């Protein structure tokens, strides 16, 4: 595409119309990676505009026991239903989409500590964006380049904070689900494995987690796989659940 100016507005319009990256790339005579970069840049500009419009936030304080009950009940209902839907998708024509969800969950987990540090060190007004965590996660589904995905989140301090908050909230729901599960011992161990591998302040290697849990490394790999599947169902499946 030498000598031709990229029409970022058209690319963004095509994306909003439901066009995939490859379709847009063919239409605009660009590479899929270049399309992702243009979309990420356009979204960053739109996000900056949205952050300039401050909105009032109403904070509701709930007693700890009531909040705990909400988390546990939401975990039981939401995780079971979302996991059931997620597993069914992997068996039918939506399997490719489910695979992308798994990929994006792993990507967010691998980058969680970096995103959290970025959010904590950024200065931004306490505004409420129209873009929700689900909107951000959905935008990730049409991107192919992992680096572009992470950069599209990092470019906005508020966007980063929304994703970090979503990850931590869903981990809280997953913990509540594990505490209520029939095979509580195994589920709690899987939760602890995932926490030590990705979320802890001082993350551990697979070998170190195996030693801590007194299990084999193969068991740690299997626990990680099963835990990520459940967490993916929570990240992407509970679309209508808003815990504040």
């Amino acid at each position: 595409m030498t000598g031709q100016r990229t029409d970022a507005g058209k690319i963004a319009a095509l994306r909003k119309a439901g066009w995939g990256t490859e379709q847009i790339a063919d239409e605009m005579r660009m590479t899929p990676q270049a399309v992702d970069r243009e979309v990420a840049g356009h979204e960053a500009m739109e996000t900056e505009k949205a952050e300039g419009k401050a909105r009032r936030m109403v904070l509701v304080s709930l007693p700890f026991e009531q909040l705990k009950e909400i988390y546990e009940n939401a975990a039981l209902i939401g995780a079971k239903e979302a996991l059931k839907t997620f597993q069914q998708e992997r068996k039918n024509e939506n399997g490719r989409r489910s695979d992308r969800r798994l990929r994006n969950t792993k990507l967010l987990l691998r980058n969680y500590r970096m995103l959290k540090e970025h959010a904590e060190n950024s200065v931004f007004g306490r505004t409420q964006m129209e873009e929700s965590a689900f909107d951000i996660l959905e935008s990730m589904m049409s991107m192919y380049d992992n680096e572009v995905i992470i950069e599209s989140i990092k470019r906005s301090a508020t966007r980063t904070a929304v994703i970090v908050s979503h990850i931590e909230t869903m981990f809280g729901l997953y913990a509540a689900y594990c505490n209520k599960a029939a095979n509580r011992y195994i589920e709690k161990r899987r939760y602890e494995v995932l926490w030590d591998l990705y979320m802890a302040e001082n993350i551990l290697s697979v070998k170190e987690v195996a030693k801590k849990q007194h299990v084999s490394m193969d068991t740690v790999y299997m626990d990680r796989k099963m835990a990520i599947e459940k967490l993916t169902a929570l990240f992407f499946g509970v679309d209508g659940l808003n815990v504040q």
Side-chain angles (χ1 to χ4, degrees):
M1 219 172 101
T2 57
Q4 186 176 352
R5 185 178 177 183
T6 302
D7 189 344
K10 181 178 179 181
I11 293 173
L14 292 174
R15 173 56 56 81
K16 287 183 179 180
W19 286 44
T21 296
E22 292 179 346
Q23 290 176 298
I24 298 174
D26 289 339
E27 173 68 18
M28 303 297 294
R29 298 180 182 177
M30 302 168 65
T31 65
Q33 290 77 16
V35 171
D36 279 345
R37 284 193 294 270
E38 289 295 328
V39 171
H42 185 79
E43 289 178 347
M45 290 177 61
E46 292 298 313
T47 296
E48 289 176 2
K49 293 178 183 177
E51 289 176 353
K53 301 175 182 177
R55 291 189 173 189
R56 294 178 60 190
M57 294 182 64
V58 178
L59 301 179
V60 179
S61 178
L62 296 175
F64 174 77
E65 290 301 324
Q66 186 178 352
L67 185 60
K68 181 180 177 183
E69 184 180 355
I70 291 173
Y71 266 82
E72 291 180 350
N73 290 337
L76 278 174
I77 298 171
K80 286 179 181 178
E81 291 303 314
L83 182 59
K84 188 188 302 182
T85 301
F86 175 76
Q87 289 174 334
Q88 183 60 36
E89 281 185 355
R90 298 206 73 192
K91 297 176 183 178
N92 59 28
E93 68 274 6
N94 292 322
R96 213 165 73 178
R97 182 172 172 84
S98 295
D99 288 341
R100 282 206 295 274
R101 288 177 179 175
L102 274 174
R103 178 206 67 178
N104 289 336
T105 298
K106 294 173 184 176
L107 182 65
L108 289 174
L109 289 174
R110 287 197 304 270
N111 288 277
Y112 166 74
R113 296 303 315 178
M114 178 271 292
L115 291 173
K116 183 174 178 65
E117 182 178 352
H118 179 71
E120 290 174 347
N121 293 334
S122 297
V123 178
F124 56 95
R126 290 192 169 277
T127 63
Q128 183 176 357
M129 290 173 54
E130 293 183 8
E131 191 176 32
S132 66
F134 176 71
D135 292 329
I136 300 171
L137 293 170
E138 187 63 23
S139 72
M140 293 170 61
M141 295 296 291
S142 58
M143 296 184 186
Y144 289 81
D145 190 310
N146 289 349
E147 186 176 344
V148 170
I149 291 173
I150 295 301
E151 284 303 316
S152 73
I153 297 173
K154 284 176 58 184
R155 281 177 185 170
S156 161
T158 307
R159 216 172 197 236
T160 306
V162 168
I163 280 295
V164 169
S165 175
H166 184 68
I167 293 172
E168 293 173 347
T169 299
M170 293 303 107
F171 247 93
L173 290 178
Y174 180 40
Y177 166 79
C178 293
N179 285 328
K180 291 281 189 175
N183 53 342
R184 185 183 308 174
Y185 171 77
I186 295 176
E187 292 293 352
K188 287 183 70 175
R189 185 189 71 211
R190 288 171 177 168
Y191 168 84
E192 291 170 1
V193 164
L194 211 60
W195 180 271
D196 284 333
L197 288 174
Y198 299 108
M199 301 286 288
E201 189 170 344
N202 297 309
I203 60 175
L204 304 179
S205 66
V206 170
K207 185 176 181 179
E208 290 169 331
V209 173
K211 183 177 181 181
K212 178 180 178 179
Q213 294 291 338
H214 306 290
V215 296
S216 68
M217 290 175 63
D218 285 342
T219 298
V220 173
Y221 284 122
M222 180 56 68
D223 282 350
R224 181 176 67 179
K225 177 179 180 295
M226 299 301 293
I228 286 177
E229 283 200 2
K230 286 186 172 65
L231 200 60
T232 299
L234 288 172
F235 274 14
F236 293 88
V238 192
D239 303 341
L241 181 62
N242 291 316
V243 179
Q244 296 184 4

